[in-house]
Amino acid sequence: MDATTGAPVSAERLAADKEFRLEPEKAPHGPVSILMSSADQRVLVLRNGVEIGRARITVHDPSEPLGTHTFVMRQQPDSSAPTWVAVAMPGHFDEDGRALSHDAAARVSMPPGFAYAVSLLLARERHCS
């Protein structure tokens, strides 16, 4: 969506020779969302509803479903590092508050440069909120 008009914006696909694209200047402020699709083998990064990045991902052992889940990054009181914690959603109410398992996270890989840049973006957002 266009941040000023709310009109739909078609997202440009990645060129065949590109692993990822990250353009945080398209939306310099606002909440960050990360959408990952094992079916599409891609991850999208949105800030304030505007796509600011995308990358190709690889899901290891794709015959084993990852499922549909929603996670938020939370600072745990007993740790300096944030964790990804599940949010209750239809069909997954029992997962509320459960941390993302290391095994599930390890099944997904993305370009290291993209992962690093997004981690810096999230760290910056965490310190600004």
Side-chain angles (χ1 to χ4, degrees):
M1 290 200 146
D2 182 291
T4 56
T5 66
V9 175
S10 62
E12 182 182 330
R13 292 180 174 258
L14 285 175
D17 62 338
K18 298 286 184 187
E19 288 187 311
F20 68 90
R21 175 177 63 242
L22 192 59
E23 302 166 304
E25 68 279 0
K26 284 186 169 182
H29 306 288
V32 175
S33 301
I34 302 172
L35 306 170
M36 190 174 299
S37 170
S38 58
D40 293 336
Q41 300 261 325
R42 69 177 168 183
V43 60
L44 303 175
V45 179
L46 307 165
R47 182 163 30 198
N48 210 26
V50 176
E51 182 181 321
I52 62 169
R54 66 172 50 210
R56 291 183 176 85
I57 62 170
T58 301
V59 178
H60 305 284
D61 194 13
S63 62
E64 181 67 30
L66 283 170
T68 301
H69 308 280
T70 301
F71 293 92
V72 295
M73 187 172 66
R74 288 200 181 137
Q75 186 68 42
Q76 300 300 322
D78 58 346
S79 172
S80 62
T83 58
W84 290 97
V85 179
V87 176
M89 57 183 278
H92 300 277
F93 290 112
D94 62 328
E95 294 181 2
D96 191 36
R98 188 178 303 163
L100 173 65
S101 78
H102 174 74
D103 292 340
R107 288 188 50 211
V108 178
S109 61
M110 62 184 72
F114 181 79
Y116 179 71
V118 170
S119 71
L120 292 177
L121 178 76
L122 292 172
R124 186 177 139 238
E125 293 300 315
R126 185 171 47 116
H127 292 295
C128 291
S129 51

